[in-house]
Amino acid sequence: MVETIHHLILHVVFILFTILLYQMFSDEKENDPNRVNTGFLLMNIVILIFTMGFPVIYSSGYVYDFKVIPIIIAFLYGGIRVGFLTFLAMLLVSFFTDHVFVKLFGNYAVFCLLLVPISKLYRRYDSRGKLLTISLFYLAIPFTRTIYLIYENELEQIPFMISSTIIIWITLVLIVYLIENRMEQIRIKKELLKAEKLNVVSQLAASVAHEIRNPMTTVRGFMQLLQGEVLSNEQKTFISISIKELDRAQEVINQYLSLAKPQTEEFEVFSLTEVINDSVEVMSTYAVMSSIKIKKNVAENLSIQGLKVEMQQVLINLLKNAIEAIKENGEIMVKALENKHGQIIITVKDNGGGMPKEQLKLLGRPYYSTKEKGTGLGLTVCYQIVKRMKGEIKVESKENQGTTFTIKLPIPNVNPR
Ligand code: ADP
Ligand code: MG
């Protein structure tokens, strides 16, 4: 018994070694189930030849080997085609080794057919799900075999079968770990490359955006001058549309720049109460145009640490969204207070259209917008700014009832000057 276990462990070492070798020399692309990965197929065949060529033979002619491992791995990680090719290779190898072809073919054909649907589901699971699937699937084999042995009254085989089952199962777990780990590594590397590229692109875009801003300001100025000239009504409409569109472009650029710009300015302690009052003031004209009232309930002398302009931008973005959500006739409530846990809580509540649950998850994602002329950057900027200030934003929303944005910010530990 001990000797056969030694023999089995030799197989384990060989199999793991082959997989490691394959991983070292294969190129780093992710497994594509729709293409036959020859290297992977070859690896499985090498394992098959070894494990079938040097099987562990136990007393009365029972042969135990590891051929189930390459078959399972081939189906689950190489796809159905690699799986069946490995199966064919196994049948071929069986001619040159001590195997009963018919029995082998019958057993493994059923086995492979069972693996087909599993291999399709398998890719969707996380690593824990994968381990569980592989384990359950594999353990079904010794289970049926035990029943067979009991039926045939060959009970002396059972302890050996259990020990080989455990060893094969451990090997399978190790292999899954190796392959999954490797796939994860490849994925992370890819993502890193992508992030690096994006970084360069966003830096370039920021400088371009900056350069565009200046000529636009000039154009806008001249347009405004033109508006004062004697022109036909039609021409005046054209000019005012042009100015509006320029403003919109300006807004997109400004929001983009504040998103891409690395923050170098130093944080300072400033009065939040003032900033809220100013922001509400700025937005109230916009609100009045759609008959919306902005109400305020702001505690005196609240101060926070951060950048004043940024806080203003957060409030203006939230108020603008609230106004746009209400469309016409509604009310916005802005509150700010210090709670008993020493935090500052700001809420912006509207009674506008609200959002369904699925939409809440998407908020803050760059360029996510449901508006025809939206930039989808407003909330992204808000989330980034609040995060930098070590605060958090929460959203509650009910469709057709309204939305509440809550910002939690820490109180600065230095007193305002
Ligand atoms: P934009 O306003 O340019 O569309 P934002 O990032 O500011 O981009 O907002 C993203 C989306 O979130 C909006 O298009 C809108 O669908 C939704 N949203 C944001 N604030 C509210 C709100 N107060 N009520 C309802 N929907 C909102
Ligand atoms: Mg917005």
Side-chain angles (χ1 to χ4, degrees):
M1 175 101 175
V2 175
E3 201 180 317
T4 39
I5 288 182
H6 280 173
H7 197 161
L8 279 173
I9 288 176
L10 188 70
H11 279 230
V12 176
V13 172
F14 179 81
I15 291 173
L16 291 180
F17 181 67
T18 316
I19 292 177
L20 275 177
L21 267 188
Y22 164 73
Q23 292 192 337
M24 274 169 74
F25 290 106
S26 70
D27 42 354
E28 295 190 342
K29 50 179 190 261
E30 277 170 279
N31 272 345
D32 179 358
N34 300 317
R35 288 229 325 258
V36 174
N37 183 342
T38 8
F40 191 69
L41 178 65
L42 215 70
M43 175 197 90
N44 284 313
I45 293 176
V46 168
I47 295 175
L48 268 179
I49 293 175
F50 176 82
T51 189
M52 290 170 78
F54 306 94
V56 184
I57 298 170
Y58 183 67
S59 61
S60 53
Y62 269 91
V63 181
Y64 285 87
D65 59 38
F66 283 56
K67 54 183 172 298
V68 339
I69 291 183
I71 297 274
I72 294 182
I73 298 299
F75 268 98
L76 299 189
Y77 287 102
I80 292 168
R81 262 182 282 177
V82 173
F84 276 112
L85 285 173
T86 311
F87 174 60
L88 282 183
M90 183 194 75
L91 294 180
L92 210 68
V93 177
S94 77
F95 280 120
F96 303 100
T97 50
D98 278 341
H99 283 89
V100 188
F101 180 81
V102 182
K103 204 171 132 196
L104 195 73
F105 181 81
N107 278 342
Y108 277 84
V110 174
F111 194 68
C112 290
L113 288 179
L114 285 175
L115 273 168
V116 171
I118 294 176
S119 74
K120 280 185 186 148
L121 291 174
Y122 188 73
R123 330 197 101 239
R124 293 187 217 147
Y125 300 149
D126 59 354
S127 357
R128 220 184 290 167
K130 285 179 173 171
L131 266 186
L132 201 71
T133 317
I134 270 200
S135 303
L136 282 180
F137 182 73
Y138 169 64
L139 292 176
I141 304 172
F143 183 74
T144 46
R145 205 160 184 176
T146 310
I147 293 174
Y148 172 76
L149 288 176
I150 292 174
Y151 183 73
E152 293 278 306
N153 212 7
E154 294 188 52
L155 298 180
E156 79 282 357
Q157 288 282 334
I158 288 178
F160 180 74
M161 210 204 58
I162 289 175
S163 60
S164 76
T165 300
I166 291 174
I167 291 176
I168 292 182
W169 179 66
I170 290 175
T171 317
L172 265 175
V173 172
L174 279 175
I175 291 174
V176 170
Y177 175 77
L178 274 180
I179 297 182
E180 289 292 325
N181 218 8
R182 163 84 168 179
M183 283 185 353
E184 179 80 11
Q185 259 181 17
I186 293 175
R187 228 202 56 237
I188 291 174
K189 220 169 167 178
K190 252 189 185 167
E191 229 146 70
L192 218 87
L193 270 174
K194 208 166 86 186
E196 190 57 43
K197 266 188 213 156
L198 263 179
N199 199 8
V200 174
V201 171
S202 76
Q203 273 172 9
L204 279 178
S207 66
V208 170
H210 195 75
E211 291 302 317
I212 289 176
R213 220 162 33 163
N214 296 336
M216 266 174 34
T217 320
T218 318
V219 173
R220 193 184 187 284
F222 281 119
M223 291 261 186
Q224 251 170 342
L225 276 181
L226 268 182
Q227 241 177 350
E229 298 293 313
V230 202
L231 293 169
S232 71
N233 271 345
E234 200 181 27
Q235 284 168 323
K236 277 192 176 158
T237 324
F238 289 162
I239 289 182
S240 90
I241 291 175
S242 306
I243 290 180
K244 255 189 216 149
E245 290 298 300
L246 272 180
D247 284 345
R248 200 174 108 67
Q250 189 84 267
E251 190 195 341
V252 175
I253 289 180
N254 282 345
Q255 296 212 330
Y256 175 78
L257 277 179
S258 61
L259 191 71
K261 175 179 65 184
Q263 286 303 316
T264 44
E265 290 116 294
E266 291 261 336
F267 274 20
E268 50 172 2
V269 176
F270 60 88
S271 161
L272 176 68
T273 314
E274 253 172 51
V275 172
I276 294 181
N277 287 338
D278 286 352
S279 311
V280 171
E281 180 79 34
V282 167
M283 292 311 284
S284 53
T285 28
Y286 188 48
V288 166
M289 288 196 315
S290 325
S291 345
I292 294 167
K293 252 191 228 148
I294 306 185
K295 288 190 176 172
K296 257 186 332 189
N297 183 0
V298 181
E300 295 292 318
N301 304 325
L302 291 175
S303 53
I304 53 170
Q305 195 166 22
L307 290 174
K308 213 168 170 174
V309 262
E310 288 194 342
M311 192 63 224
Q312 193 153 19
Q313 194 173 9
V314 170
L315 289 165
I316 287 178
N317 283 348
L318 293 184
L319 286 170
K320 188 164 167 287
N321 280 346
I323 292 169
E324 286 161 354
I326 293 174
K327 295 196 180 90
E328 204 97 15
N329 284 323
E331 196 179 278
I332 298 170
M333 184 74 199
V334 182
K335 282 189 196 168
L337 51 92
E338 187 184 327
N339 72 3
K340 50 181 187 278
H341 306 298
Q343 290 163 316
I344 287 174
I345 311 287
I346 309 166
T347 53
V348 178
K349 183 177 170 189
D350 67 64
N351 56 3
M355 287 170 274
K357 234 183 205 156
E358 312 84 66
Q359 204 186 326
L360 290 181
K361 286 182 222 144
L362 301 173
L363 293 187
R365 193 180 281 189
Y367 309 111
Y368 171 74
S369 176
T370 55
K371 296 167 197 166
E372 203 181 326
K373 292 196 169 176
T375 62
L377 288 172
L379 285 181
T380 315
V381 170
C382 290
Y383 281 44
Q384 259 190 12
I385 292 173
V386 171
K387 196 173 157 198
R388 266 206 295 274
M389 292 167 81
K390 305 221 158 34
E392 48 183 296
I393 294 194
K394 285 211 178 101
V395 196
E396 280 168 82
S397 189
K398 270 213 178 109
E399 263 181 293
N400 304 321
Q401 290 190 20
T403 308
T404 308
F405 278 85
T406 307
I407 304 177
K408 229 187 250 178
L409 289 170
I411 285 180
N413 40 21
V414 246
N415 291 322
R417 271 160 284 168

